[in-house]
Amino acid sequence: YGKSSAEMRTFCGRANPSTGALDWVEEEEYDFHQEIARSCYADMLHDHDRNQKYYEGIRSAVSRVKARGQKVVVLDIGTGTGLLSMMAATAGADVCYAVEVFRPMAEAAQSIVEKNGFSDRIKIINKHSTDVTVGPDGDMQEKANILITELFDTELIGEGALPSYEHAHQNLVQEGCEAVPHRASVFAQLVESELLWSWSQLQPLEVDGFLLAAPPAVARCAGAHSVCDIQLSQVDPRSFTPLGPVLSMFSVDFSRAVSSSFQSHSSQFAARSRGRAQVVLSWWDLDMDPAGSIVCSMAPSWTYPEPKTAPWRDHWMQSVYFLPAESSVNEGDQLRLTVCHDDYSLWFKIDQNTEAPPPRPSCTCQAHLVWTRPRFGELNDRRRTESYVNALKSVLRDDSVCLSVSDGSLLPVWAHMLGAKKVFSLENSRMSRQVIEQVLEANSMKGGVELLEIRPDQLTSNDLGGQQISVLVGEPYFSTSLLPWHSLFFWFCRSALSGLLRPDASILPGSASLHMVAVEFQDLWRIRAPCGTCEGFDVTPMDEMVQKSLDFRESREAEPHPLWEYPCRALTRSESVMTFDFTQSVPQQPISSQGSLPFIRAGRCHGVALWMEYHLTDDITVSAGLTGPISEQGDCVWSRHRKQGVYFLRTPVESSGDGRSAVSYSFTFEPSLGDIKMDFNVTSQ
């Protein structure tokens, strides 16, 4: 990127999620490569619906300015590849100022603009829009009369759209300018959903006659403020009950002065059914023209008359907001849903009167700061908890001394409830320890588990009161884990604790296995597919930039994705490709595994899905990936609690499904690195 090789290298400290060690390595523009390789630029360019709607809106805006006899001056904020500016130039704009703050992207945009022959009309400005100057010696010679932006995220305003618009109207565009998009409208629907609510609150859980109650402070807490953004199209409508209609909450007109100050908007409605008001589902639409005849909608597929016609997007999804507290609603009740927003985020409240706007929610119980939304769902999963409780019952005795190694886990609480003589739990933070203390107190077990803020490699016999560990347990779950095999940190912990274990100690889980299946993605492939030509414009310089970052060592690896949100078909059978024996310490030498999986279904193989399964006992296994058998058609059902690993093939491969071609694999677990190196190839007989 224009630096000498010496300037392009940075000394970075990287925490290894599997070993817990801090590795210091020299990286080449590490952050840039990660940002580019993990970005969704390709997904946005593959979004034909978005592109077409923008193009129609731009052509309409340019024609309106020309009809007034004015010179067409465009300001494109957040230009990315320069695509929207090239659309404007093609539509007849006289000059386009394309602003892009991310330097590698701005350089790619410059190459793309030159490659497509628009250098004379498009000026790339590598700045934040709030730093752009106007005047004879400024970045822009004159103020723009068309404002084009793509500053939106799933929550609409989370990327700072409002402050950017506010500044642009004050400093960079003419009064009465055209804007593409012209306006955005936010929609919301109040629902009851046991599934979604389980991501927000710890539910009382009864297993094997034991009832675990949630702490009152957690139940009263308004929860984490951050939005829960998901592919709402993948949430079965049968898993929630609408309590009211889809409401239009507010709109923002981008052609006029925009304010980033606090605002609230309310909408009244009659409840359509009886239930518990728990969750607000939300999305937004863009009107690309003043008449609202060109609409780009983020609505989930199940709102469409033909759900399969809904466009797929990963850069813009839908939002789930959890109400500060659930409340009973009867059919016919007159309700008022209020949405508030500051300059970056939204929050909702339901009420039956006209009280003051609700304050921005914040977590007061700490549990929402310790546990993520999927983690709440995992802790509330009754079937999963039953598996752990049954496994604990099979190894615990009256004289058991139990040690739990996981972050913010309820396993030590269950171990105490099941009658272990003494239970210790290693917690990674004071906040995590305090949350588990609340759980113990709420269940009249204060002091029943000794919570230690000590790393496994620093634990001594004195910390355990001179006792040896007879049962070592873990889910395993660690807040630092990104990829499935990062949970092997449990194995390193077990090895560090070897001197404190009884010779006949039980280890739960006793082992883990890494599983894989080759898949065809319905849509996720778009985030990695090169674009080549987009809406008639050559964007190969961006493809080359992304490829360079994908070639970078760190970015060649698998990446985490919650596959329940991204439908795929299995083209091979699933297979256990590596096993890790937790009853023994981590070996000194690498563990390797090779093999191949023949294609048994026709399709296009985009990559490989990877996940871990934990073998608690000989007959109890918990999967962090597939939660049921693959269907005859290859459909997969994935755990909602953990992200799976996805290794994308550089080039998709067509499979006839006759078993003559296969995915060959090679895995090597490097104990010194705490990582798994992998390689895949498609071979034919």
Side-chain angles (χ1 to χ4, degrees):
Y1 298 107
K3 289 186 177 181
S4 69
S5 59
E7 291 176 303
M8 291 176 69
R9 303 189 71 81
T10 308
F11 206 47
C12 299
R14 295 195 302 120
N16 188 308
S18 298
T19 64
L22 187 66
D23 301 330
W24 288 93
V25 291
E26 202 175 32
E27 301 285 14
E28 179 191 354
E29 294 289 12
Y30 175 77
D31 290 336
F32 279 174
H33 283 299
Q34 286 287 60
E35 174 72 17
I36 295 164
R38 296 290 186 256
S39 70
C40 286
Y41 294 121
D43 169 42
M44 298 175 75
L45 295 182
H46 283 295
D47 187 347
H48 183 67
D49 178 75
R50 161 196 174 269
N51 299 341
Q52 284 295 103
K53 300 294 175 54
Y54 261 100
Y55 212 165
E56 290 177 44
I58 289 168
R59 283 195 289 257
S60 176
V62 170
S63 65
R64 288 194 298 275
V65 173
K66 281 185 171 294
R68 296 196 288 265
Q70 298 176 353
K71 175 185 177 183
V72 179
V73 181
V74 171
L75 172 61
D76 174 9
I77 299 179
T79 194
T81 59
L83 176 67
L84 303 184
S85 285
M86 291 190 294
M87 288 178 175
T90 303
D94 296 287
V95 61
C96 300
Y97 297 104
V99 181
E100 175 56 51
V101 69
F102 187 45
R103 178 166 58 85
M105 198 70 239
E107 292 176 0
Q110 186 67 55
S111 298
I112 290 169
V113 165
E114 291 173 2
K115 195 175 187 73
N116 287 273
F118 292 107
S119 298
D120 59 331
R121 281 187 287 165
I122 299 176
K123 179 183 179 182
I124 304 296
I125 303 171
N126 181 203
K127 287 184 175 182
H128 194 282
S129 65
T130 55
D131 296 325
V132 171
T133 56
V134 180
D137 299 319
D139 301 305
M140 300 170 59
Q141 295 296 298
E142 58 196 311
K143 288 187 175 182
N145 51 19
I146 295 182
L147 175 59
I148 300 173
T149 56
E150 208 286 55
L151 299 171
F152 314 114
D153 69 348
T154 292
E155 203 174 14
L156 182 66
I157 63 174
E159 290 186 4
L162 294 181
S164 295
Y165 272 114
E166 188 172 44
H167 176 271
H169 276 286
Q170 291 172 355
N171 301 278
L172 305 178
V173 299
Q174 301 172 22
E175 187 175 352
C177 75
E178 301 286 345
V180 182
H182 180 79
R183 79 174 65 83
S185 301
V186 173
F187 299 90
Q189 185 172 35
L190 178 68
V191 304
E192 173 185 10
S193 174
E194 183 180 349
L195 168 66
L196 299 177
W197 190 242
S198 74
W199 296 351
S200 174
Q201 294 290 351
L202 189 65
Q203 307 295 325
L205 200 61
E206 185 176 354
V207 176
D208 201 43
F210 295 93
L211 176 65
L212 187 68
V218 177
R220 291 194 303 266
C221 183
H225 174 59
S226 58
V227 65
C228 176
D229 54 341
I230 61 172
Q231 291 283 357
L232 205 51
S233 296
Q234 298 308 314
V235 176
D236 192 325
R238 291 172 296 184
S239 66
F240 60 85
T241 302
L243 301 180
V246 174
L247 304 168
S248 178
M249 297 304 300
F250 69 94
S251 295
V252 182
D253 184 338
F254 297 127
S255 69
R256 300 179 180 179
V258 172
S259 172
S260 61
S261 61
F262 171 89
Q263 293 185 35
S264 68
H265 310 269
S266 297
S267 185
Q268 292 189 316
F269 64 98
R272 289 185 170 179
S273 61
R274 181 182 179 185
R276 306 286 293 174
Q278 298 171 324
V279 175
V280 175
L281 311 180
S282 182
W283 56 89
W284 45 270
D285 286 357
L286 295 176
D287 288 332
M288 294 298 181
D289 64 328
S293 61
I294 309 166
V295 182
C296 186
S297 177
M298 307 310 127
S301 62
W302 36 258
T303 65
Y304 284 67
E306 293 291 334
K308 290 185 178 179
T309 64
W312 182 83
R313 301 181 174 95
D314 197 40
H315 53 100
W316 295 330
M317 293 186 278
Q318 295 81 37
S319 300
V320 173
Y321 296 91
F322 303 100
L323 294 177
E326 61 178 341
S327 57
S328 297
V329 169
N330 292 310
E331 185 176 356
D333 282 354
Q334 291 298 313
L335 303 176
R336 188 176 72 137
L337 183 64
T338 298
V339 61
C340 303
H341 72 80
D342 51 21
D343 49 351
Y344 281 93
S345 55
L346 280 65
W347 60 97
F348 288 82
K349 186 178 181 183
I350 193 78
D351 51 57
Q352 295 170 302
N353 50 49
T354 55
E355 64 183 45
R360 175 174 172 152
S362 61
C363 177
T364 55
C365 72
Q366 301 188 93
H368 299 91
L369 305 178
V370 170
W371 294 326
T372 63
R373 268 80 181 234
R375 180 63 172 157
F376 266 101
E378 188 167 60
L379 295 173
N380 285 323
D381 187 330
R382 179 187 176 88
R383 184 177 299 178
R384 182 179 183 276
T385 299
E386 283 178 344
S387 294
Y388 280 97
V389 167
N390 289 333
L392 280 168
K393 285 170 63 179
S394 72
V395 298
L396 288 177
R397 300 190 301 269
D398 292 343
D399 62 346
S400 290
V401 176
C402 182
L403 174 66
S404 172
V405 182
S406 278
D407 292 349
S409 176
L410 299 179
L411 282 189
V413 182
W414 288 108
H416 174 73
M417 293 172 76
L418 291 168
K421 172 188 170 186
K422 183 67 180 177
V423 182
F424 298 92
S425 180
L426 302 187
E427 292 297 336
N428 69 333
S429 69
R430 181 157 301 175
M431 192 179 296
S432 179
R433 189 190 76 188
Q434 290 171 344
V435 169
I436 303 302
E437 283 175 345
Q438 289 183 60
V439 175
L440 291 166
E441 191 167 347
N443 290 276
S444 303
M445 292 186 286
K446 190 172 182 179
V449 177
E450 192 165 336
L451 303 167
L452 306 171
E453 278 183 69
I454 302 173
R455 293 208 325 253
D457 58 343
Q458 295 179 327
L459 192 70
T460 67
S461 180
N462 288 338
D463 298 314
L464 303 175
Q467 302 176 90
Q468 283 191 304
I469 302 162
S470 57
V471 178
L472 178 66
V473 302
E475 298 191 37
Y477 172 85
F478 302 101
S479 58
T480 54
S481 297
L482 297 175
L483 289 160
W485 44 94
H486 289 166
S487 62
L488 291 175
F489 181 53
F490 177 77
W491 203 8
F492 288 87
C493 294
R494 178 258 181 268
S495 302
L497 296 166
S498 291
L500 301 175
L501 298 175
R502 287 186 191 172
D504 61 345
S506 297
I507 312 295
L508 191 157
S511 65
S513 50
L514 177 66
H515 293 247
M516 69 166 274
V517 64
V519 296
E520 174 185 52
F521 284 110
Q522 182 175 302
D523 295 295
L524 189 63
W525 60 270
R526 300 173 197 272
I527 70 172
R528 288 291 162 265
C531 297
T533 301
C534 179
E535 311 305 332
F537 302 100
D538 185 343
V539 294
T540 52
M542 189 213 69
D543 292 337
E544 292 163 2
M545 176 187 72
V546 172
Q547 193 61 53
K548 179 180 178 182
S549 289
L550 287 170
D551 286 337
F552 184 57
R553 177 193 58 79
E554 183 79 8
S555 304
R556 282 201 304 268
E557 301 168 356
E559 53 193 73
H561 290 286
L563 291 185
W564 73 267
E565 294 185 56
Y566 305 111
C568 61
R569 287 178 58 242
L571 301 181
T572 66
R573 68 180 186 277
S574 65
E575 184 166 286
S576 170
V577 293
M578 294 194 89
T579 300
F580 311 96
D581 184 358
F582 295 158
T583 65
Q584 305 296 319
S585 293
V586 175
Q588 298 294 315
Q589 300 302 316
I591 304 172
S592 295
S593 170
Q594 295 84 32
S596 64
L597 281 174
F599 287 110
I600 58 174
R601 296 181 185 88
R604 186 169 227 221
C605 181
H606 295 111
V608 173
L610 301 143
W611 68 98
M612 297 290 282
E613 294 190 1
Y614 304 104
H615 310 290
L616 309 186
T617 64
D618 290 342
D619 56 355
I620 302 177
T621 294
V622 172
S623 173
L626 286 178
T627 57
I630 298 169
S631 76
E632 283 294 318
Q633 294 74 35
D635 297 324
C636 302
V637 180
W638 300 96
S639 167
R640 285 191 173 98
H641 308 319
R642 306 271 181 114
K643 291 182 179 181
Q644 292 73 44
V646 177
Y647 190 104
F648 288 98
L649 299 178
R650 285 295 172 86
T651 305
V653 177
E654 296 294 337
S655 158
S656 61
D658 59 7
R660 293 185 179 180
S661 57
V663 176
S664 62
Y665 59 82
S666 173
F667 292 92
T668 301
F669 171 66
E670 297 275 2
S672 60
L673 300 175
D675 201 4
I676 296 177
K677 300 300 179 185
M678 60 192 69
D679 191 34
F680 302 94
N681 288 292
V682 176
T683 56
S684 299
Q685 291 183 355

